[in-house]
Amino acid sequence: MTTTAKSPKDALDKISEEFAFNTKDVKEFISLFHLEMARGLEGGQSSLKMIDSFARRPSGSELGTYLALDLGGTNFRVMAVNLRGKGEIHVGATSRYSIPKDIITGKGEDLFNFIASKLGAFIESGKLAKDKTYALGFTFSFPVKQTGIKSGTLIAWTKGFSAEGVVGKDVVALLEGAMKKQNINCISVEALANDTVGTMIAKCYARKDCDIGVILGTGTNACYPESRISGLTVNTEWGNFNKLRQTKFDLVLDDASNNPGLQLFEKAVSGMYLGEIFRLVALSLIDEKLLFASSKLARSAFEVPYSFTSEQMSSLAEGTFDAKSTSLSQMADEDFAVMVSMAKIISTRSARLAAAAVASLALWQDPKMLQKHVVAVDGSLYEKYPGYKQEMTRLIGEVLGGHAGNISFELTKDGSGTGAAVIAAVAASEHAT
Ligand code: ADP
Ligand code: MG
């Protein structure tokens, strides 16, 4: 892969052109997105699965303590969530774990045993009142064909997961099986939720005008209430949207991934992949002697796949980057400046693509953009990448002009988990009535 550039500046210009996503591209993106949404809703051939989530919007007056299990992609959390009515959610005891690589790519049984064992440890730790039964909401952030509010089968793994024997199975049944083996009897799983749905519902608990839920973390996805199917929330699985222009770097990344041809939008946008795109761009510049030309060791610092991360890109943008983190103990100012520009180009495309997809969902619901749309967003990429929200807002302004103010982004921290608790509360109250 080369850029055939003559100077670092020239190379950056070429890369910037390749990653550009201008206003005209955005308009085309939105029409293609709408076409794919329509096809997906009709059950036709589409890269957007448009899955019915079965989740109902809360009234905001649901009360009580619920448990949430949030399996994201990088993090796994168990939390006690206290719903206090009037839209107030209090997050109580929380335990956070990272999932070992051998569990992610091992046997499905081991993955669910791992999850159940952490749930067991959470109960044993004395963080909950004894002799009570708790309703639990399970946030499972992978494409699931939901068959009911507490059942659904895994369609395919994403985000580097490949645990064997889970695709095609009901993930709630797998969780309950593992809980039973470990004698966890004081918990009933009341809801299975996608993280986007959790995020939107968490915000809806307080804000009735929230009608889009977005995840920008390890992966990316979004949901919205579909009026054509009686307002049920549709999980778009937008990470798989595939009508977008790919750069040569995107093509290489996709080819080497464990799900080639799939999740193309996610691979251009989400936290798991941004560092890898950066690494591939860096390698091409190093090979052309346009980056680290004076350091023989530079190439080896970028040779391991997925060794460069979106967190490191963040620190480049923030000015806190530590060269030692790449095993390059020092760096010329010029090289540093090129890396900062590369991070800017790649993260800007990510934010603009994400915002274009948000605009697509808003315009789908409200073509003239006459109403307010609160967009609930959860995920570390959105939360922590410097200027990410501002880039998204800028694009919304370009596309919606005077109506742009009708869209507001609201960080809904932990929404993926707390929302599952709200969904469990709504489901439990429906049983009761
Ligand atoms: P999950 O996706 O597991 O629910 P998060 O929303 O916390 O969890 O997302 C974690 C991902 O976010 C990481 O894998 C990484 O890609 C990205 N990320 C974490 N911290 C930062 C940061 N400071 N800057 C940019 N990206 C980050
Ligand atoms: Mg998450």
Side-chain angles (χ1 to χ4, degrees):
M1 263 192 306
T2 59
T3 57
T4 61
K6 294 181 185 64
S7 67
K9 158 99 184 43
D10 190 18
L12 283 174
D13 287 346
K14 287 210 157 71
I15 289 165
S16 174
E17 213 173 284
E18 206 173 345
F19 282 90
F21 182 58
N22 57 38
T23 313
K24 187 172 147 281
D25 299 328
V26 178
K27 300 228 157 104
E28 190 184 320
F29 178 102
I30 294 173
S31 3
L32 291 168
F33 204 92
H34 284 171
L35 269 177
E36 290 288 274
M37 283 176 77
R39 286 194 196 125
L41 285 173
E42 285 157 12
Q45 196 66 348
S46 171
S47 62
L48 294 175
K49 293 188 185 75
M50 309 298 283
I51 299 164
D52 180 356
S53 72
F54 289 81
R56 304 221 165 255
R57 291 166 81 89
S59 67
S61 56
E62 292 80 1
L63 298 170
T65 299
Y66 295 82
L67 295 187
L69 264 189
D70 183 2
L71 180 65
T74 301
N75 298 309
F76 161 62
R77 288 176 310 172
V78 188
M79 54 215 258
V81 180
N82 187 230
L83 307 181
R84 297 179 168 174
K86 299 205 182 80
E88 202 188 318
I89 300 179
H90 176 79
V91 179
T94 301
S95 296
R96 185 186 290 271
Y97 311 91
S98 65
I99 312 168
K101 176 98 184 133
D102 58 323
I103 298 264
I104 286 174
T105 55
K107 283 199 202 132
E109 202 181 337
D110 294 340
L111 172 65
F112 283 90
N113 285 340
F114 176 84
I115 296 172
S117 72
K118 300 301 177 202
L119 183 58
F122 185 84
I123 297 163
E124 290 303 314
S125 67
K127 289 172 178 153
L128 295 172
K130 289 249 179 295
D131 311 320
K132 260 189 79 177
T133 302
Y134 289 90
L136 176 143
F138 180 27
T139 306
F140 185 79
S141 311
F142 299 91
V144 160
K145 166 113 191 65
Q146 198 118 9
T147 46
I149 187 66
K150 51 176 166 177
S151 58
T153 54
L154 177 63
I155 298 169
W157 283 119
T158 53
K159 300 180 278 194
F161 274 61
S162 62
E164 227 177 280
V166 186
V167 172
K169 300 263 174 62
D170 182 344
V171 294
V172 172
L174 292 175
L175 173 65
E176 286 174 335
M179 281 164 53
K180 198 160 176 215
K181 259 195 275 171
Q182 298 184 31
N183 285 321
I184 301 172
N185 303 315
C186 62
I187 290 173
S188 70
V189 183
E190 291 295 334
L192 170 65
N194 179 264
D195 51 355
T196 60
V197 180
T199 298
M200 190 186 85
I201 297 285
K203 180 54 76 180
C204 285
Y205 189 67
R207 295 281 313 245
K208 297 284 162 278
D209 49 1
C210 173
D211 58 10
I212 297 176
V214 176
I215 295 293
L216 287 158
T218 311
T220 184
N221 187 14
C223 70
Y224 72 102
E226 176 51 75
S227 55
R228 301 181 197 186
I229 40 177
S230 65
L232 284 186
T233 304
V234 169
N235 164 15
T236 61
E237 285 297 332
W238 81 17
N240 194 49
F241 182 63
N242 63 8
K243 306 282 180 279
L244 69 162
R245 189 160 50 87
Q246 290 176 285
T247 66
K248 53 183 177 287
F249 306 102
D250 298 313
L251 292 169
V252 170
L253 181 151
D254 182 44
D255 246 12
S257 71
N258 68 359
N259 53 354
L262 298 173
Q263 301 296 108
L264 299 187
F265 182 71
E266 180 161 272
K267 284 168 181 164
V269 172
S270 80
M272 174 168 170
Y273 299 103
L274 293 188
E276 181 64 0
I277 300 173
F278 184 101
R279 187 186 73 85
L280 293 170
V281 174
L283 273 183
S284 88
L285 294 185
I286 291 168
D287 289 345
E288 289 177 82
K289 310 229 169 341
L290 296 168
L291 181 64
F292 303 123
S294 56
S295 163
K296 288 208 175 64
L297 290 175
R299 197 174 203 289
S300 62
F302 289 94
E303 271 169 351
V304 179
Y306 292 90
S307 58
F308 201 85
T309 64
S310 61
E311 286 93 328
Q312 284 170 299
M313 289 168 65
S314 266
S315 61
L316 278 167
E318 267 163 0
T320 55
F321 183 74
D322 177 7
K324 290 196 198 83
S325 68
T326 57
S327 75
L328 292 159
S329 53
Q330 54 200 23
M331 206 179 282
D333 286 351
E334 193 187 33
D335 292 327
F336 185 74
V338 171
M339 301 237 295
V340 170
S341 300
M342 284 162 52
K344 175 86 186 148
I345 292 168
I346 295 164
S347 64
T348 299
R349 181 185 66 160
S350 157
R352 289 178 66 83
L353 282 169
V358 168
S360 305
L361 292 188
L363 286 164
W364 177 267
Q365 298 184 69
D366 180 12
K368 297 208 167 100
M369 286 306 296
L370 301 174
Q371 289 145 29
K372 290 261 176 227
H373 302 273
V374 171
V375 183
V377 193
D378 192 13
S380 297
L381 176 64
Y382 173 85
E383 184 189 348
K384 296 180 180 159
Y385 203 101
Y388 199 93
K389 177 181 178 175
Q390 286 79 351
E391 278 302 341
M392 289 184 78
T393 308
R394 187 171 307 146
L395 182 130
I396 296 290
E398 285 170 31
V399 184
L400 300 179
H403 296 291
N406 277 348
I407 293 193
S408 63
F409 293 101
E410 289 198 15
L411 177 67
T412 310
K413 220 169 142 44
D414 299 329
S416 56
T418 56
V422 176
I423 297 168
V426 174
S429 72
E430 280 173 6
H431 287 326
T433 51

